[in-house]
Amino acid sequence: MIDHSLLRPELTLDEVRAGCELAARYDVASVCVRPADVTDAVALLKGTGVLVGTVVGFPHGGTTTDGKVAETRIAVAQGAAEIDMVLNIGWLRSGLEEGVEADIRAVVEAADNATVKVILENAYLTDPQKIAGCEAAERAGAHYVKTSTGFAPGGATMEDLALMRAAVSPHVKIKAAGGVRTLDILLAMAAIGVTRFGATATAAILDDQARRSQANTGG
């Protein structure tokens, strides 16, 4: 359920490679790397079952649709299986839902068969805007809606996740990111219906899960 996040701008290549090795060791769903790191991550994770994802229009969402499409095509050609795109936050706040939807749809089409997760960046949105963003993402054919980049003033909240789950059909999944640092938080969010989690505290979360499983089995 975890997308191990390797997006901080200051990460060295050695740190990115170590993060990929950690992801393989813990057998997480994916790593989410910076666009320039996709090729390395794909090579490092080949044969592990861990997918490689990257970001588009990150972190502010204000790049042109053509720019997002180009980023997406390059990433997919390099082996990225998942695309976490930031919708156009300013357009959404301006009430331009049709433009937001078209922006997302263009990325979905460029992604071909890759999974597309749409980041709303809820810290900047009202509840009606969050709902409108979720609805636009579903109409555009996105596979997930996601709370945050992790680089805004706030991250995932239980209230936002419940709102997002109610705003889309069961065909659209929910990803929480920003502040998912403990197993208890992850489990509480999973109970709402979240199925993916962007996290940097992956080892701590999964080590805690292993300890609890061992205690429950008396091992």
Side-chain angles (χ1 to χ4, degrees), residues 124-147:
Y124 300 128
L125 306 176
T126 64
D127 283 356
Q129 289 164 352
K130 295 166 194 173
I131 293 169
C134 285
E135 291 174 343
E138 179 162 12
R139 290 194 302 269
H143 305 91
Y144 284 79
V145 286
K146 176 178 169 182
T147 58

Side-chain angles (χ1 to χ4, degrees), residues 196-213:
R196 283 287 190 96
F197 300 88
T200 57
T202 301
I205 291 169
L206 294 178
D207 285 346
D208 190 11
Q209 171 68 20
R211 283 192 295 271
R212 295 188 195 190
S213 296

Side-chain angles (χ1 to χ4, degrees), residues 32-102:
C32 192
V33 299
R34 301 168 303 199
D37 301 324
V38 169
T39 301
D40 275 353
V42 168
L44 284 166
L45 291 167
K46 184 177 181 180
T48 66
V50 176
L51 301 174
V52 174
T54 192
V55 288
V56 163
F58 196 84
H60 300 127
T63 49
T64 64
T65 299
D66 285 346
K68 291 178 180 179
V69 165
E71 282 188 286
T72 301
R73 287 177 175 158
I74 291 167
V76 171
Q78 291 176 335
E82 301 193 334
I83 301 293
D84 287 33
M85 70 162 290
V86 188
L87 58 66
N88 193 307
I89 301 163
W91 288 359
L92 183 57
R93 284 170 49 86
S94 300
L96 302 177
E97 286 94 347
E98 289 184 5
V100 171
E101 180 181 341

